[in-house]
Amino acid sequence: MKSVYILSITLLSFTIQAQEVLTLQEAISETISKNYGIQIAQSQVNAAENQVYKANAGMTPVIDWNAAVNTNLSQVNQVFVDDRKINRLGQSFGPNTNVSLNWTLYDGRRMQVVYDRLRTQSQESLLQKKLLTQNTVANVMQIYFEILRQKKSVEYLETIISYYEERLKITEERWQIGRGNKLDYLQSKTDLTTQQVDLVNAQNQLKTAKVRLNSIMASPADRQFTASEAIEFPKVYSLTELLEKAKTVNRELLLLNKSIEINMLREREAMSFKKPRLALNSSFGYNFNSNNAGFISLNQSVGLSAGLTATWNIFNGQQTQRNIQLAQINTEIARQEKENLLNQLEADLTASYYQYTSDQELLDLELENKTVAEENLTISLEKFKLGASTILELNEAQRRFDQSLNRLVNAQYNLRISELEMLRLSGTLIE
């Protein structure tokens, strides 16, 4: 049995060593390069950029080559006033071709406005991708921190279990030699089983968190890795600086600014329909026609034609005015949404900052409390070995140690999450 146990430990150690060590930065890099959502967003950016060209705004001339062939076959029966008669099978053949040009010279600057709108929409698409990337990275970090929390929970539970195993061994020995009662042994065994159940649950939650991270990274669900916990000292932030950065680099705020800009361009586009339009029309063509039953048996021409067309809408049922009003309303809505977001952003970022500073203090307290609880448990266990304390006192010391470890793990996790949220709101989570 001893050799089997040693073999099992050796295999377990080999498995752990063989597992890939995945740092947080590596997880973020893999996600940015492989995540399906980010790839789709990049394709949408490419599609929006593909729409930004002058011809799409109507700023370039349109040149068409046109060709046609007309033929006609008919029985012609004609009697003229001078008694001449024509009675024959008439046939006509008329091919023609031309190159035409249509060029809008002026349309109230609508073309320039449309081009600016297309370019701004492309910039908006890029901001949407950056917002999606930021939120995806935040999700990766949150899951990674959850993996670290569950990893710590497993480690602490294994530490706790070692104390419960020692307690079980002591109570069993006392019961076997008649110095203790069976009730203490059964209670110790029950408590140990409870901790072992918690350990199994923590291990399962650790596996589940890894599956979730693999999914976001577009990796196989069963990919095995070990999360690396870098030792970092809590950073000091300035609330004033965070608020100032949020006003300039927060992705949601930048998107609303683009929305306002697009709606203002739509206003100018709608107002352009109040102005006249001037277009150049030109054509260079060749026409040929032969007819064996008409007055003219052959007719052909080659020529260039050009002209200007001016159009000015006088009345269209106030459709233009309605479109202008709608664009103005949408612009005002976007401005109000921006003011609302600024107000909410200031409140959320301030609350997040206070939470971060509070979590720092709580972590310091929990670190100190863990040391005290561990020392208290060690002393209680030694006293219990010597018979100087009861199992109730030892059980209370174990319970306090359990709680201190659990609170410490949660305090470490909460500090990371509050910092993550603070950076996300300020727009400084990613560049």
Side-chain angles (χ1 to χ4, degrees), residues 77-88:
N77 189 357
Q78 296 176 330
V79 177
F80 296 93
V81 294
D82 58 356
D83 291 332
R84 285 184 298 114
K85 297 180 181 180
I86 296 177
N87 187 1
R88 70 177 69 171

Side-chain angles (χ1 to χ4, degrees), residues 240-250 426-428:
T240 303
E241 292 180 1
L242 290 172
L243 288 171
E244 288 300 320
K245 287 182 178 179
K247 294 177 182 178
T248 56
V249 296
N250 179 273
S426 64
T428 56

Side-chain angles (χ1 to χ4, degrees), residues 18-55:
Q19 281 190 2
E20 169 193 4
V21 176
L22 182 69
T23 65
L24 176 58
Q25 188 57 48
E26 289 172 344
I28 292 174
S29 298
E30 281 195 38
T31 300
I32 292 176
S33 62
K34 296 167 57 178
N35 179 266
Y36 293 116
I38 294 177
Q39 290 181 357
I40 292 172
Q42 181 60 51
S43 297
Q44 292 172 339
V45 171
N46 296 338
E49 290 177 348
N50 191 55
Q51 297 296 310
V52 185
Y53 57 98
K54 292 185 177 181

